[in-house]
Amino acid sequence: MVSSEALRSPRQHGVTKPLSLAGPSRADLLRTEKLNKFLVDAGLYESEEETAKREDVLRRIKQIVVDWVKQLTRLRGYTDKMVEDANAVIYTFGSYRLGVHGPGADIDTLCVGPSYVNRDEDFFFGLHEILTGIEEVTELQPVPDAHVPVMKFKFDGVSIDLLYASIALLVVPDNLDISDVSVLYDVDEPTVRSLNGCRVADQILKHVPNVEHFRTTLRCLKFWAKKRGVYSNVTGFLGGVNWALLVARVCQFYPNAIPSMLVSRFFRVYTQWRWPNPVMLCAQEEEELGFAVWDPRRNPKDRTHLMPIITPAYPCMNSSYNVSTSTLRVMTEQFQFGNRICEAIELNKAQWPALFEPFMFFESYRNYLQVDIVAANTDDLRSWKGWVESRLRQLTLMVERDTLGKLQCHPYPHDYSDPLKQCSHSAFFMGLQRKQGEVILEGQQFDIRGSVDEFRHWVSMYSFWMPGMEISVSHVRRKQIPLYVFPNGQNRTRLPKHASQHPSEEVTRKRKDNGTHVEENEHLKRQRSLSPQNRDSVSPVIVNHSCGIQESDLENDCGNSQIFEAVEPKVGVEIVPGSRAQAAADFGAEDCYEASARRDINSLKKKIREQKPEDYGKLLVSLAMIVFCKSS
């Protein structure tokens, strides 16, 4: 229970006063007890044996890097005294440092070394060679060109992400205070980013009113975000530090609240948050070290950030710059879902498991992009997959840009593998839908071949490309999603009509596509039965949104078969780089595309002559779009 003294004279945390000083009621205490039990039963806490193993692994890594620095000190001709004093320090950050890691989670670690041991040659080559020769080290993967350069590997089965920072000291003491701004003197930008992982973690723990309540709430929200498909910084959602900052701010708003209250308040706050107002735990520090800090008043680029979540350590940065219009929309919808469930829990109309129901991604959209990648072996696939996944955010941005924001993307932060493929394979999926409220003209299409070509171009620039690394992108409809993405290889059944009594989002409302219900009438079912379901005949680059039709074969329902079929590839054909005209020619369909475009132009000209003057605007826009697509 919260003490009466704490309620009388609370310490202010954050840049504003708390929203409420209320403590927990008996019902809140009971709900927190049930929440804690749910988290334990869900397996979110590791055993004592696992904890001991992690600590032992960190000690062994510490000894390895100290020996490595001493060896380099000797090779560079320093005195015996310098060799004896040579040292490197290992720090942790991320979920492990915050105390919210679970079984099997990786450990984010930072090695801080002296000024004469550099990152490029000494760390990524010298230490890499040492690690290669250690029996306990497996899956060693250096990523030197990442935004934050990192070496990934497993040590005795424990996943490690190891960063390196060389600071302006000849000898690094074991008691180095990494929170002190002096560690940033005379270092480069990648080093600042490497150091700030630890500095931010320390500041988060410093700025929350109750660390244990913060940890339980964060553990809960991270689990929720993974279940709902919005936990992934690399694909444009939020990663661990982002969720930690959001939770910490809610803890500041409600300093006397306990976890069940904080979870509920989390969704209440961020359902109503007016982005791009930033989330900040403390006032920004102004230091004269010359590093850029997030400031939309001075930096025009910062004004474009959609969901700024600002780190509390100098230099303050926006940790969520990856968020796009589409991913912000998805997260906003999920916050609303969480808020509805928590309201039901507080009214005793639902229980905690309802909050963590997995998001039914493959039942939520009519159209998807499928990104397939293959490699010669599992090691090549691991690095190839990491590279492609880091580029998926760019594909989302390109599609938004090229469709003027009218076509929205939902990249799903999970990969799937086809067990029937003989080569090493992985697939990513992206849901596609038109922007809500957009008026779609009859026969309008979203031609995203140029976006896909550009995406493939960027992906092809992979520095560590190996023979066998290939990628293909295709457009699939919901009914053509491959079975291997579903549990037990079987499609989930369509949601029943009576399911609206269930408390989750997917069952408390009828899904609508283009303003129509998912349930089909008999006429559409008969039409579908006449259309062959050929997985390989689907266009990889054009998404049709015609006539507001439901999940039906668009070419049969709207008379667009010639345009639609004109870009359908033959079996196994990939999307090739080049212009839209080149892509159509590669599919052997340019003549058909031209003919259909001419017919549409003539049809619209006739409509223009027949319509009233007030209708000219929409028809002229349609004509212009067809001419634009033809000329492109």
Side-chain angles (χ1 to χ4, degrees), residues 238 241-242 245-246 249 270 273-281 284 294-296 301-311 316-324 328 331:
L238 302 181
V241 67
N242 309 127
L245 291 168
L246 290 183
R249 188 67 181 111
Y270 293 115
W273 196 272
R274 295 184 178 180
W275 305 105
N277 286 329
V279 172
M280 305 174 68
L281 299 188
Q284 289 182 295
W294 186 83
D295 188 349
K301 187 177 181 181
D302 293 343
R303 298 170 199 162
T304 65
H305 295 170
L306 302 177
M307 193 182 187
I309 303 173
I310 311 304
T311 58
C316 300
M317 307 173 186
N318 176 22
S319 63
S320 53
Y321 63 89
N322 277 355
V323 173
S324 69
L328 177 57
M331 286 187 283

Side-chain angles (χ1 to χ4, degrees), residues 98 200 204 208 214 217-218 221-222 224-225 230-231 237-254 262-263 265-267 269-271 273 275 277-281 307-312 318-320 323 328 331-332 335:
L98 293 175
V200 167
I204 290 174
V208 294
F214 162 76
T217 307
L218 178 56
L221 268 302
K222 287 180 63 176
W224 174 85
V230 289
Y231 188 95
F237 294 106
L238 302 181
V241 67
N242 309 127
W243 291 105
L245 291 168
L246 290 183
V247 170
R249 188 67 181 111
V250 172
C251 291
Q252 293 179 339
F253 282 138
Y254 303 94
L262 291 169
V263 170
R265 303 307 185 273
F266 177 93
F267 292 115
V269 166
Y270 293 115
T271 296
W273 196 272
W275 305 105
N277 286 329
V279 172
M280 305 174 68
L281 299 188
M307 193 182 187
I309 303 173
I310 311 304
T311 58
N318 176 22
S319 63
S320 53
V323 173
L328 177 57
M331 286 187 283
T332 299
F335 290 153

Side-chain angles (χ1 to χ4, degrees), residues 449 453 576-588 590 632:
R449 279 176 290 191
D453 289 344
V576 295
S579 66
R580 292 172 181 151
Q582 180 186 346
D586 290 329
F587 296 140
E590 190 172 14
S632 299

Side-chain angles (χ1 to χ4, degrees), residues 67-133:
D67 293 343
W68 163 63
V69 169
K70 288 182 179 295
Q71 178 183 349
L72 287 173
T73 306
R74 183 178 293 107
L75 289 174
R76 288 178 182 165
Y78 287 97
T79 64
D80 292 341
K81 175 62 175 174
M82 277 289 293
V83 173
E84 181 182 348
D85 293 339
N87 190 33
V89 183
I90 290 290
Y91 297 90
T92 62
F93 61 101
S95 62
Y96 187 83
R97 174 68 182 92
L98 293 175
V100 295
H101 63 286
D106 58 6
I107 306 179
D108 295 310
T109 56
L110 168 70
C111 175
V112 177
S115 57
Y116 55 86
V117 177
N118 64 58
R119 180 190 309 105
D120 295 335
E121 296 178 6
D122 298 329
F123 180 73
F124 278 112
F125 288 93
L127 184 59
H128 179 272
E129 286 299 313
I130 293 174
L131 293 174
T132 302

Side-chain angles (χ1 to χ4, degrees), residues 4 13 60 67 69 119 152 177 214 221 264 285 287 315 400 419 431 511 621:
S4 57
H13 293 269
R60 294 162 74 182
D67 293 343
V69 169
R119 180 190 309 105
K152 298 174 175 284
D177 182 9
F214 162 76
L221 268 302
S264 177
E285 298 180 34
E287 297 287 346
E400 289 178 352
R511 287 199 311 259
V621 169

Side-chain angles (χ1 to χ4, degrees), residues 445 477 479-480 531-532 537-538 544 546 549 552-565 568:
Q445 298 174 325
R477 300 188 187 94
K479 59 195 173 187
Q480 294 155 329
S531 303
S537 68
V538 180
N544 252 11
S546 305
I549 295 299
S552 56
D553 290 300
L554 298 172
E555 61 270 30
N556 290 338
D557 291 321
C558 299
N560 290 322
S561 59
Q562 290 171 324
I563 294 180
F564 193 78
E565 293 170 356
E568 291 180 354

Side-chain angles (χ1 to χ4, degrees), residues 18-36:
L19 296 178
S20 172
L21 296 176
S25 65
R26 182 168 306 212
D28 293 320
L29 292 169
L30 180 59
R31 279 191 288 268
T32 295
E33 183 180 337
K34 290 181 178 179
L35 177 60
N36 285 329

